[in-house]
Amino acid sequence: SKKPYRLATTLMDATTDKDPLVQEQIYNALCYLGESEPEEILHSCDEYLRQHDKLAYPHRVIILKAMETVVKNNIASLDKSTAKVVIFLASNEMTKSKEVIREWQQAASSVLVAVGQRFINKVMEEVLTKFQPGILPHYFIVQTFANLSVSNVFGMVPFLNSILGTMLPMLGMAKQDHMKSVFCYALQHFSESIQEYLANLDKAPDPTVRKDTFSNEIFSAYEVLFNSWLQHREAKLRLAVVEAVGPMSYLMPSEKLEEQLPKLIPGILALYKKHAEAFYISKGWVCSPPSLHVTSLTRLFLPQICAPADPSVPLTVKNHTEVLRCFTVLACSFPDRVLAFLLPKLESSNERTRVGTLLIMRQIINSAPSQMEIKKPFILSSMKLPLQDSNDKVKRAVVQVISAMAHHGYLEQPGGEAMMEYLVRQCALPSEQPKKQTPDADDLTSDSVQSISVNTLFLLSTTVDRMNNVLWPYLLEFVTPIQFTNALTPLCKSLMYLAMKKQEEGENASLIRYDLNGNLPSPYALTTRLLVVSSQPYAGDCRGTAALRLLSVLQYSVHPALEQLWSKRVPSLVEHIEENTEKCLCQKEWEEKLLLFLQETLAAVSDNTWICHFVTEMCRQLNSYNGFPLEKNFLYKCIGTTLGACTSKDLVQKQLQELLETARYHEEAEREGLASCFGICAINHLEETLAKLEDFVRSDVFKKSVGLFSIFKDRSDNEVEKIKSTLILCYGFVAVHAPKELVLSRIEADILKNIFQYFNTKVLGIKVETKDLTLKLCLIRSICMISQAIYNGGKCGDFVFSRKAELVAQMVEFIKAEPLDAMRTPVRQRAMVTCTYLVYPSSGGSRGRAPPRCRLPRGPILYGDTLSALKDLLKSLLQRNLTPHGLQDMFAVGHLGPWIKSNKEQERQRAVEVSAALLDFYLGKLNVSTVIPFYNLGVLIALFSPRCSDSLASVRQHAVDCVYCLLYIQLCYEGFARDHTDEMVEGLKALKKGLEEPDFTVLFHACHNIAMVVGKRVPPDQLMSLLLAMFEGLADPDKNCSRAATVMINSLLKERGSVLQEKVPDIMSIIHSKLQEVDEEHVRKAAQQTVYILASQHKSVVVSSLLGSALPFDSHTCAMWRSLAAEPTLTSQILEQLLEKVNRDVPYKESKCFLLGSGSERIATPLPLAATCALYEIMSAPESGAAVLGLYAPLFVTLLLRVSCTVGVQLPKSLQSRERRSSSLSPAPRSLHPCSCAVETLKVMLARGGSEAVTRAVGSAGGWDLMASPERHHDGIAVLAGAMARHAGPRLPLIVKNLVPTLSSVFDSQRITTTAFFAELLNSNVVNDLMLLETVMDNMTGRQKDPCMLVRMLALRGLGNISSGSPEKVRKHGAKLLASMVNGMDDKDDPHNLVALEAMSSLSKLLDHLEERDIQSMLLHIAIRIRPFFDSEQPGLRQSSIVLFGNLTKFSEDDCEAFFEQILNGLVTLLLHLQDPKPEVVKACKFALRMCGPNMGCEGLCDMFLNHLREDRSLHYGEFMNNVCKHLMQSYPEMLNRLILTNLFYFKSNWVDIRAAAPMFIGFLVLHVDEDHCQQVDLDQLISGESVPAACTAGEQGLGLGAGAQPHEFGLRSVGPRRAPGSCSTLG
């Protein structure tokens, strides 16, 4: 089909891609297509390559390789025509280029070789056309021939004769090295093919082919190669020649080869010096068995064997093998000469020579057995020296030689046993850890010698049948000697296998023939040995299993009666070993199993004679285990067990005496073993055992020992103490093992008496303390075992242990004597264990546990043991009172409590671990029959739960266990079953994993989760005690635990706080005291959180509780208040409550002041004061911002009024003294003074409410200080109102709304404050913008009848302020405003005219904006009303009234005449007051006169007023008055008398300058009056006005002036024409 063709073509087009990965995929794809359509694909490849002649060769290679694979995989089904196409293409591709292009031409050649597998004739037909005589062929033509000869031997060999015939002449033509090499390559492969053909003639197509068919051609080729090419300088060519010569020599005629050897051998030998790669040269030897030069060859080969083969260089390994083959060839031909050369080399001093020689020996023994048969004794005797060699490499080689010898019958010869013993000794080498590999690859460690020996022994036992009789029973001799202990496992395995073979052969009964083998160990010896080594079953490659299996096989030989028992018991023992591992096997349990097995064995034998022999053999073997303490200890137990089964009392006593005499007391295991032996023996022989112990102390042996030791002063005490220690220990073991019914009566009478006698101590008398640690430990241990024995006895109820208290006291003494700073000895631990048995021996922790050994553990083991002992002791104490009270005692302050909270990590760790164990024990033992309260649950949970975040991971995890147990104990007390599972409590276990790492977040979540579980499970009545105890945890020295306590308190309160309303004051009090006690940031923050949580549940109670705190609030109370600012909703509610507290109570109380007579002072009431302070604290927290914004108006109004009510108010006496004390303690405390406090709170409220600009503005204007001043308070309020109008306008509508009701307050101060605030608001246009004008104005108008004068005054000021705040609105409300002002001026209750003053000032401001018609109706009334104020004592009144008068003149046009009258009435006053002492009054007069001028109808006067009375111009009063009088008398002469009369009024003025000015005024008037009007002057009246001295003088001057005196005579310029004297004679 065309589809695969097209696909293949597409793929081949892609071969030009340079990516190797793509090329690989194309190759794979073509091969894959070739699997389904081989013919199609091969044709398409052929066509493609022919069509694309110019395709570069790397791309052609891909296609050719694909063709090769397709051909190889489909050769069987390939069509002949396709094969022809492929052959023709490959041939052309291979020879297209005359140059060698290896990759391309090799690919083409490979295709031909692949096709040649089946179509050899077709391939040869094509290729031979390019192999013509006399023409040097293409390189790859020759190589293709060579490869075809290898791949298709039977097809190719028939062509070789003609090929060789054509090729031989070409050898001489080859000049290039690569051509010579390829000819060598072809000759080598041709020779190998011919050899293979000849070796398989039975399968060959032509069986007539013989070796000599090719001999001559091969020899001819050899001559060229050897004589010519071998001498070539090119190393590669020389090696190619040697590789070819080897196989060629097989085919050369023998006689010609013989002739060539004298030249050939030296020629090849010479090559070793020239070449590093010896392999190709050595390979040649194997093919050329030489008869001469044996010595030179062996000398040549030996160093090559001795030089270790490097596994990383494969050719060196191959060379090794080839050289060994050469030795095989030599040994087969010349055995004597080879051995004569080799065996002396075994004595060489060079290690490599010895190793190499042994390797060759092994090769020869294995590969030339027939030649070596008669040489066996010679070879065996020559091995004596190597057997003594200590070199590990030599040892390994020797073991390999022994293995070879075993296979070939050497070891059956005399001397063979020595070889076997050597092998077993190597098996017994210590099995050390493999050492680090050294650069020398041949370096073998002792471990490798041991392992190869073990393998060899096992192979010889199991696979070499001829060795059975050699090894059995001979190997048994190696079982008992101690030096072969390490070889026991392989020995036992081999022996078991051999014994089983013997049994299969029917030799069961006569398995061990002692009659034929005198050196074999006895059955007793074998049994003892195998049993003892089984006690350490995993040692020595699991020797326990091997030993027991061998014992089982030997059962009949040990004793015929054991067959049934052992067949059953031994497999179960082996199974026990196999089921366990060295780590998990319980040694004590295993030894008990073995001793039971021994007991059953002794019972099964039931032959006292046999048992006596057995125990004697055991005692005999004791000394051989001196280096094996564990095994020796077990052997002592075996002896004890066997003695127990022995019926001969004499033998028992004799053996016990021997044991006491021969024991090595200075060894711990020995002491332990001996004591165990006595204890086990006492089971059946109590009397004999006790008697022997007493006898020994009295015996000469003991005394001699003591005497002998005393010679060596240094050792004396030590050794004697060790003997005493052992005897004390023996008594303990006897007590614990012996039958209780027999031993109880002997405990106090014999055992304890003797023990304390040896210890050299009197329990009730004077005691001499031993310093020997061993003696002390043995005493403790014995007492422990004795107490165990007493209480394990079935009849212990009848036994009274009278010395128990003494023994406990002795143990406590031992514990106290131990150093507190270190744990060097196990005395503490042992003494505690003993106390446990003495106090409550049936406690769960220790029941049934064997007392610990006396060995001295170190480090962690000792610590662990001691802690376990402490746990057991405390459990035994707890068990005496398994109630909540007992638990409370255990964790009370005097016991574990302080350790749990210790600031030392190790103390906490131990205490919490012990606590966890105790609580677990309590839970396990708990048996609740009636539901009772677990009254101290809360306290205990509070003790442990914070430890869940301890700095130590172990404490954290044990603490979780403690809480877990406590909650389950509680559930039990509530009536739940013991096996009840609570999912929530179980969840605590899951937290432990996360507590391993000290990640703060994880710890926080864990604490929270624990608190949630506790919160849900703690009964309500326990909740408060839990919280109280948790609060105590805040002072924990470990900050993490302190933090945990805070987290848990807050979590608990969130969960359960809603039920604690009554307790909130107590909790708040505790929080406060804890804040005083613990000065830590995290505690402060957590306490604030606690207060917040409580407040969210019980707002009123928390607020009341905090308000009850002493004033001034300390920093902790302040922090608690600030915590209430955390959440806006809650904060708003709290603020509302506090506002209610401020407003509800009266702000102060009047108090009679006795010292000041009838006066009284205002004393602040405490609740509003505290609430104000609280508001300050809450609002000082930045978080309160949102809540303050929400309550801005009520807060502002309340605090504004609070400020108002506290002006001039005093603190209660009690608080005054307290404030003084607090101010002396802290450098700058916040004032508690009611008004300052209120002002500060208002300030902070404004700042928090976003009105910082208001605070700053008021501050910079001094408003805050003014507010606190009783006299200027309203001014301060005005500053605040102005700032609010400027910076907080949008807030004002609500503020005004809230303030309006206070205008009717009973407190004057509040009305004053509100009025002042409103008055100043009217000064700003913001009230108009906010549509508040009418409201505020109406309220101000309404205040005109207020009983408080200041309120009335401020109301008028406010109304006046409208002129500057909202001038455009004045006209609209003109009538109302004017009426208010007039009413103000008419105020009857205004003794100081302040209201009038304000009315006049305000009216002045309003006039410009009022409608004329409104004013004109009131004009005269006002003018008349204000006239008296011109001469008021108060400058302000004078100024205001005069300014107002000046302003009124603007409105006089319509009623000119009436008002002119008012001007004239006031003129004298205004002119005289130009001499007023107050500049502001003078200024007002100037203004009024300037305003009046135009209305007086005298232009000259008007001009004078406008020019001379300018504000910025100084005035010459006398001259001015002269001119004024002149104009007056000219314009209004009829007014003279009236003017004079008015002036006369001022003769009595309080102001000197005015008194002086009045007569002057009169004088000038008289001076300028016409004579016609002189009669108006009443001289008497003038004179009567001279009673005031200053006026008198001025009067005289005035009269003088009138009588013709000149103005300049008293400082006045002359003005106008002089009047003739006497012109005023009418006056006279």
Side-chain angles (χ1 to χ4, degrees), residues 980-1028:
H980 168 72
T981 300
D982 185 293
E983 279 186 24
M984 287 199 76
V985 181
E986 287 301 320
L988 294 177
K989 288 285 187 189
L991 299 176
K992 286 177 72 175
K993 178 74 180 159
L995 295 176
E996 288 172 8
E997 294 302 322
D999 181 305
F1000 183 76
T1001 316
V1002 175
L1003 296 186
F1004 174 84
H1005 285 302
C1007 292
H1008 174 71
N1009 291 338
I1010 290 166
M1012 296 309 286
V1013 175
V1014 169
K1016 285 192 165 61
R1017 289 291 171 264
V1018 168
D1021 58 324
Q1022 290 280 302
L1023 189 56
M1024 194 60 193
S1025 65
L1026 169 61
L1027 283 169
L1028 293 176

Side-chain angles (χ1 to χ4, degrees), residues 134 160 258 400 561 567 712 777 885 1040 1071 1077 1157 1205 1227 1273 1394 1401:
L160 287 182
E258 286 287 333
Q400 289 173 335
S567 302
F712 311 103
L777 288 171
H885 287 288
N1040 278 357
I1071 293 170
E1077 184 184 330
C1205 288
H1273 170 72
L1394 292 175
S1401 296

